[in-house]
Amino acid sequence: MLIPHDTRIALDTVVDLMNTAPQGERADELADLSELHDFLRAHEVSGVGDLGPDDLRAVREVREKFAAVFSAPEARIAAPLINQLVAGAGTTPQLTDHDGYDWHVHYFAPGASVADHLAADCGMALAFIVVAGEQERLRRCEAPDCGRAFVDLSRNRSRRYCDSRTCGNRLHVAAYRARRKEAAG
């Protein structure tokens, strides 16, 4: 699957934003404005002005909407969710090349809030995945105590864990030990 660099960056941002949500014993990683600033800086989100509590609340709401898209069992359910996100953000596509990136498209309107910025650009990235018939690539980790989001970009859509070095390795080691114990017993 060929994914342009701007779409890939937006998909990574969606996944990382979703993975800031509290889950199990893991606390909300967007608990305050400083964490939101850190997230935006780490993801090189451009055009962000002063942020306030309303921005934090709005970004958390967008995060929940992205989670609903990942949970949608089929494109007919995901499409209206994405349409709502993108339309609500007031999209205004603009071709641009800035900050060392080659030509790419921003979908958010000039002066948009950070939540609308994320909803427009990341929502369009999700739309491209659905249009390509690849919605099944939007996944949650299958490790029993994880559930983190990821986009499966493997050729055969076989990825099951958010990180093969942690969740995947841990489960493979546990299965290996169980087989060894069963063989010894």
Side-chain angles (χ1 to χ4, degrees), residues 103-166:
W103 288 105
H104 60 282
V105 179
H106 282 302
Y107 295 93
F108 58 92
S113 71
V114 68
D116 285 345
H117 179 137
L118 293 169
D121 276 2
C122 297
M124 288 304 299
L126 293 172
F128 295 142
I129 293 294
V130 170
V131 166
E134 301 287 352
Q135 184 194 349
E136 67 189 32
R137 292 182 182 273
L138 306 177
R139 298 206 175 147
R140 293 286 189 162
C141 183
E142 292 182 18
D145 56 347
C146 185
R148 293 174 65 85
F150 67 93
V151 178
D152 179 4
L153 296 177
S154 66
R155 284 182 186 231
N156 62 357
R157 298 179 191 98
S158 63
R159 188 170 159 199
R160 297 176 47 208
Y161 306 110
C162 63
D163 186 351
S164 60
R165 290 179 308 252
T166 55

Side-chain angles (χ1 to χ4, degrees), residues 31-94:
D32 57 38
L33 284 172
S34 68
E35 290 179 332
L36 177 57
H37 276 286
D38 291 345
F39 178 86
L40 298 172
R41 190 172 20 261
H43 290 84
E44 299 179 358
V45 176
S46 61
V48 176
D50 293 330
L51 299 175
D54 288 342
D55 292 302
L56 181 60
R57 180 192 46 74
V59 168
R60 286 181 184 154
E61 288 174 7
V62 167
R63 176 178 70 184
E64 289 175 21
K65 292 176 182 178
F66 288 149
V69 172
F70 268 66
S71 298
E74 62 181 54
R76 293 219 177 274
I77 295 170
L81 298 171
I82 294 169
N83 287 341
Q84 223 175 19
L85 265 166
V86 173
T91 56
T92 307
Q94 306 166 63

